Amino acid sequence: MIRLATCSLCGHRFDPAAGQACASCPIAPNCSLVCCPRCGHVGVDPGRSRLARALLRLQAGRSATGRSAAGRSLADLPRDAEAKVTGVAPALGDELIGRLHAYGLTPGCDVAVIQRRPVIVLAVDRTELAIEEDIARHIAVETES
Amino acid sequence: MDCHSRAAGESEAVSGAVVALVGQPNVGKSVLFHRLTGMRVAVGNYPGTTVEVATAAASFRPGWRILDTPGVLTFPSRTEDEQVAAAALLDPDLRAVVHVGDAKHLRRTLQLTLQLAETGLPMVLALNMADENASWGVDIDPGQLSAALGIPVVETVATNGHGLATLAERIRDCPPAAAHVRYPRSVEDAVAELAAGLPPARVRSRSLALLFLAGDPVAERWLAGRLDGTALAAAVDRRARLTSELGGPVPSVLRAARAAAADRILAAAAPAGPSRRPRLQTRLGRAAMHPVLGLPIMVAALAAMFWFVGVFGAGVLVDLLETQLFAEAVNPAITGWVERVVPFDAARDLIVGPYGLWTMGMTYALALILPIVTTFFLAFGVLEDSGYLPRVAVLTNRVFKSMGLNGRAVIPMVLGLGCVTMATLTTRTLDGRRDRILVTFLLALAIPCSAQLGVVVGLLAGVSAAAVAIWSLVVLVVLVGVGWLAAQLIPGSRTPLVTEMPPLRIPRLGGVAVRTVARLEWYLTEVIPIFLVGSLVVFALDLSGILGAIIDWAEPVVVGWLGLPAATATAFVMGFLRRDFGAAGLFAMAGAGLLTAPQLLVAMITLTLFVPCIASVLMIARERGAGAAAAIVGVAMPLAFAVGGVAARVLDAVGWTG
Ligand SMILES: Nc1nc2c(ncn2[C@@H]2O[C@H](COP(=O)(O)OP(=O)(O)O)[C@@H](O)[C@H]2O)c(=O)[nH]1
Ligand SMILES: [Mg+2]
């Protein structure tokens, strides 16, 4: 997927990853500066800044509170949401799926989100289970609304 | 399994009379074990983090032995812990299995019961934590369950003894389990084909075949030792065929069938859904892992712990024992006695000389280390029993994520602040080989044990608070930095955190005491001999002049690179035997005014990062192999000196003088 940046000076939209000067620059991998190919204005690419990404994640976490569509993953649920698990992606690997199953997290079970940070904690039946977001993303849920 | 051999050796005394307690982690197996045995434990066992199989004589029936196994979440077994439990089930001396389950997690329990029942071993289901289940307002009908499962079902509360008399009764004459889950046709066919060719075992060949088909490594090893090559190859082939017939992993099909069977039983025996929630307990438990509220709670808990260990243990108790009892009464008496009785100078020195077995080894172990580890084990036992540690894992997961680990690593790390050797043992409870190696390495490198911590902090506090702060900062930076680097270098991917949060409970003094005593016994019987060997080695090195040679050899590094007086080399060599031996040596030098403040700080930093004591190196070799131990030592030593040297230069450049 190509993520386009907008030059803050001239408004030109361009692909920051295609910067020609960057290809040969030794500090490019850790550099968040981008240069507009049209006007030459040097700006920052928020997608490359750790802090900016963290801020974006925070905002995403907040906006998740507002949504309530069906057919999303556990990682998208806001705090205090209740949902039914509809599927666990095989990509998690059978070992992990087996462990989740042993804790009671199986397709068809009801879950409630107790907290989202620093780690997602769920109530599954009477078990409280902490799982990282990377795993929660592979668990499909549907919410009643 | 190696780790199981000691226990197995003892249980062979009376054949066919072993009763194994099996169940998920944290359901109360170890408490039940102590109840059923009257606490006469034979093998070191650290409940909560049970890592070895403990056996002891049953109090309800002479000649029988009870076996406490580490937790098993589900079969096929994956972790080392689970494999120990699986191996226990294949013990030919097994008389009965007690499946210990958590009554408030009935659905989870039944799925494991059905798996265990497949073995056809005589079996009882103990539904423990009946008290907590009752507080949820849920009634279970044990009679119904027992009828559906075909085995006795007893509700128990291990902590207060409720139901235990009945349980003992049922264990004595329980029938072989008969519950039977039907799997899809292709699975049943494969099971029938395999089972026909299996050697006789204490468990049903059906269950062995199922375990093998699911890929259980213990069942596989068991069969590999008993089947000839072609039969084994045919079995492996059959498993591959089944997997392709099913179009997915075998365990997932078995799980689904068992879950359906468990749900049918559940529907008949227990009313659905929680009706009431235990309020305060749940709320406290949630506050303790809350992203904001949790942090001050964690700081307070750790501060309380270190106050108890650092101020009460390392301060008050050590002062009482070392400076008052040993230095003023015991040691002069023993020295006087030895000097009267022992005729040779060398022999006298061996016992009461500067590196003597008594004056260095025993005094050190009993007067300095013992009070510190005792208070530490007490405090850790309280944390452990309260169910608080998994919450710390949640709160610290971020930090460990940067080191390529997950929050579960915090438990061995905190335990390492008590005794690195014991913490190395508990790395077994971590998720994969990669995590275990990484944590073992970090423990060896940058986690000071309580004895060392006491000496180091005590010494540096005498210099200034800044000295303690700089020392902590350097060690912490090395811990996180090296952890981050090692995570990039050690192959394999990180295991994300998945862990259960047990309810917060008020620690039971009895349980904490038993745990502390078990750990102290281990300390006294396994660590103190190593202290004595350490003293003996130093004594021999000193006597033969090798100590002098090593010190001469190390001098350029110590003097040139670290900028310390030549005599500190002795402390470093001692530090190799035991990190805090070294710290104590430095303490003496500082007392004599031989070290400046920056020198003391540099020496402490180097010594902390230095390899831990011989005991923990031996433990690393035992747990992770000699190669891993050599690699860890080989990396930690140069790194310690490198960091120490850099610190010396930085302190010098900024002109820090204390
Ligand atoms: N309320 C309650 N707590 C229990 C009961 N049995 C054990 N516990 C607690 O549960 C925790 C785990 O017990 P432990 O024996 O270490 O579990 P194991 O991992 O199965 O060996 C400890 O804090 C025990 O005090 C019980 O019947 N009721
Ligand atoms: Mg245990």
Side-chain angles (χ1 to χ4, degrees):
Chain A
M1 190 185 79
I2 296 175
R3 191 174 42 82
L4 290 181
T6 308
C7 174
S8 52
L9 191 67
C10 68
H12 177 58
R13 287 178 63 76
F14 62 98
D15 174 11
Q20 292 110 1
C22 296
S24 57
C25 172
I27 62 166
N30 296 313
C31 168
S32 56
L33 296 181
V34 284
C35 183
C36 170
R38 193 164 79 183
C39 68
H41 171 70
V42 177
V44 290
D45 176 7
R48 288 202 184 182
S49 149
R50 254 165 207 268
L51 281 176
R53 276 207 306 267
L55 197 65
L56 280 174
R57 264 204 304 277
L58 261 175
Q59 288 170 352
R62 200 155 301 138
S63 62
T65 323
R67 282 181 280 166
S68 69
R72 285 173 302 110
S73 85
L74 250 181
D76 302 324
L77 295 177
R79 210 182 68 198
D80 293 333
E82 296 186 3
K84 187 180 278 299
V85 171
T86 53
V88 181
L92 283 181
D94 189 63
E95 174 170 355
L96 186 52
I97 298 176
R99 280 176 65 196
L100 292 172
H101 187 113
Y103 285 126
L105 191 89
T106 57
C109 74
D110 294 317
V111 296
V113 179
I114 298 170
Q115 67 180 48
R116 289 185 40 87
R117 269 186 303 271
V119 172
I120 298 178
V121 182
L122 306 167
V124 187
D125 198 5
R126 273 159 244 159
T127 301
E128 288 186 1
L129 193 62
I131 60 173
E132 267 180 39
E133 202 170 316
D134 298 349
I135 296 174
R137 208 164 288 296
H138 286 95
I139 300 170
V141 292
E142 68 184 19
T143 46
E144 296 158 27
S145 54
Chain B
M1 302 230 71
D2 270 340
C3 37
H4 168 219
S5 56
R6 257 205 300 178
E10 276 172 71
S11 62
E12 269 153 27
V14 188
S15 64
V18 173
V19 176
L21 303 179
V22 183
Q24 291 198 332
N26 256 309
V27 295
K29 295 180 296 298
S30 297
V31 178
L32 211 56
F33 171 79
H34 289 296
R35 287 275 179 179
L36 292 174
T37 56
M39 293 189 188
R40 286 182 295 269
V41 196
V43 177
N45 172 37
Y46 322 116
T49 43
T50 310
V51 287
E52 295 201 8
V53 183
T55 65
S59 56
F60 58 89
R61 164 105 198 211
W64 283 18
R65 300 188 69 75
I66 310 274
L67 198 82
D68 182 21
T69 65
V72 48
L73 209 48
T74 181
F75 292 105
S77 55
R78 314 272 196 180
T79 63
E80 287 180 45
D81 271 7
E82 292 181 340
Q83 292 175 17
V84 171
L89 286 177
L90 292 175
D91 186 337
D93 284 330
L94 209 53
R95 162 156 311 243
V97 173
V98 178
H99 176 205
V100 187
D102 188 328
K104 67 182 177 296
H105 300 150
L106 193 54
R107 185 162 175 262
R108 288 170 55 184
T109 302
L110 287 182
Q111 296 187 10
L112 189 56
T113 311
L114 289 173
Q115 283 188 297
L116 291 168
E118 274 165 359
T119 60
L121 292 163
M123 193 169 140
V124 182
L125 172 59
L127 283 177
N128 195 38
M129 311 249 180
D131 55 336
E132 287 191 348
N133 185 56
S135 78
W136 282 84
V138 177
D139 278 327
I140 295 174
D141 183 345
Q144 273 269 5
L145 267 184
S146 173
L149 290 167
I151 54 170
V153 176
V154 186
E155 281 188 293
T156 60
V157 180
T159 39
N160 70 12
H162 172 85
L164 294 191
T166 322
L167 179 63
E169 195 98 331
R170 296 289 178 276
I171 295 173
R172 255 184 299 199
D173 46 33
C174 60
H180 194 85
V181 177
R182 284 219 75 72
Y183 297 104
R185 186 60 193 279
S186 47
V187 176
E188 291 292 348
D189 287 349
V191 168
E193 254 175 69
L194 260 184
L198 293 184
R202 183 84 180 84
V203 300
R204 273 201 205 128
S205 30
R206 175 184 170 81
S207 72
L208 264 178
L210 278 165
L211 275 178
F212 177 83
L213 287 170
D216 187 281
V218 176
E220 183 145 357
R221 274 199 294 275
W222 192 90
L223 288 182
R226 285 166 184 79
L227 288 179
D228 60 59
T230 44
L232 190 66
V236 172
D237 239 38
R238 189 64 187 89
R239 182 168 63 193
R241 192 140 54 90
L242 177 62
T243 308
S244 68
E245 278 168 14
L246 294 173
V250 181
S252 88
V253 175
L254 305 186
R255 269 196 308 268
R258 277 192 294 256
D263 284 344
R264 276 194 299 278
I265 297 174
L266 206 57
S275 38
R276 180 155 50 86
R277 293 174 173 224
R279 274 287 159 212
L280 184 65
Q281 196 187 20
T282 315
R283 279 232 294 277
L284 271 179
R286 291 183 181 177
M289 59 184 171
H290 188 272
V292 179
L293 283 177
L295 293 177
I297 296 180
M298 180 168 75
V299 169
L302 293 181
M305 177 165 169
F306 284 101
W307 181 85
F308 182 64
V309 179
V311 177
F312 178 68
V316 177
L317 288 184
V318 168
D319 185 54
L320 217 66
L321 283 172
E322 194 187 28
T323 35
Q324 305 201 14
L325 188 67
F326 273 74
E328 284 173 18
V330 178
N331 284 358
I334 290 196
T335 308
W337 180 77
V338 167
E339 275 168 3
R340 256 180 291 119
V341 176
V342 180
F344 310 105
D345 263 356
R348 266 189 226 154
D349 266 1
L350 175 64
I351 302 170
V352 295
Y355 302 124
L357 288 181
W358 179 267
T359 35
M360 180 160 162
M362 286 304 272
T363 302
Y364 194 68
L366 294 180
L368 192 67
I369 316 288
L370 189 63
I372 299 179
V373 292
T374 305
T375 44
F376 183 87
F377 289 157
L378 263 175
F380 190 79
V382 167
L383 280 189
E384 200 177 38
D385 210 46
S386 65
Y388 180 61
L389 288 175
R391 272 126 183 126
V392 180
V394 163
L395 292 174
T396 56
N397 190 53
R398 270 277 153 81
V399 180
F400 286 99
K401 195 169 177 175
S402 69
M403 295 189 242
L405 294 165
N406 68 48
R408 289 166 62 119
V410 80
I411 295 170
M413 294 280 201
V414 172
L415 187 56
L417 292 170
C419 174
V420 172
T421 313
M422 182 173 284
T424 303
L425 192 66
T426 60
T427 55
R428 272 195 210 171
T429 55
L430 295 178
D431 289 319
R433 188 179 148 74
R434 181 176 173 282
D435 287 25
R436 291 193 281 264
I437 293 257
L438 213 70
V439 173
T440 305
F441 172 56
L442 293 175
L443 275 172
L445 180 71
I447 303 289
C449 66
S450 57
Q452 187 188 19
L453 204 62
V455 179
V456 170
V457 173
L459 260 176
L460 291 180
V463 177
S464 68
V468 179
I470 296 175
W471 174 83
S472 321
L473 193 72
V474 171
V475 172
L476 212 66
V477 166
V478 169
L479 176 70
V480 176
V482 170
W484 180 82
L485 204 71
Q488 316 298 315
L489 297 178
I490 297 182
S493 60
R494 173 177 174 270
T495 321
L497 182 72
V498 177
T499 193
E500 185 180 356
M501 296 290 119
L504 277 191
R505 303 190 177 97
I506 295 172
R508 294 161 311 112
L509 280 185
V512 174
V514 166
R515 231 166 272 221
T516 306
V517 167
R519 286 181 169 138
L520 283 177
E521 183 195 310
W522 174 85
Y523 174 79
L524 290 172
T525 54
E526 300 204 7
V527 179
I528 289 197
I530 293 174
F531 272 119
L532 295 182
V533 171
S535 307
L536 209 62
V537 170
V538 177
F539 178 79
L541 288 179
D542 186 43
L543 200 70
S544 62
I546 298 178
L547 189 62
I550 296 179
I551 290 170
D552 287 343
W553 174 78
E555 220 181 276
V557 181
V558 172
V559 178
W561 172 243
L562 295 179
L564 300 174
T568 23
T570 320
F572 283 121
V573 173
M574 310 248 278
F576 185 65
L577 295 165
R578 176 90 207 185
R579 281 201 287 198
D580 32 344
F581 264 21
L586 292 176
F587 185 72
M589 289 183 62
L594 296 173
L595 292 172
T596 65
Q599 281 178 332
L600 188 61
L601 183 54
V602 167
M604 284 303 178
I605 290 172
T606 314
L607 205 62
T608 306
L609 299 177
F610 216 59
V611 206
C613 63
I614 281 194
S616 65
V617 175
L618 293 177
M619 182 63 85
I620 296 172
R622 191 184 116 184
E623 290 291 302
R624 306 274 158 263
I632 288 174
V633 173
V635 173
M637 284 239 277
L639 194 69
F641 281 100
V643 173
V646 170
R649 274 154 190 71
V650 172
L651 287 178
D652 190 43
V654 301
W656 188 82
T657 54

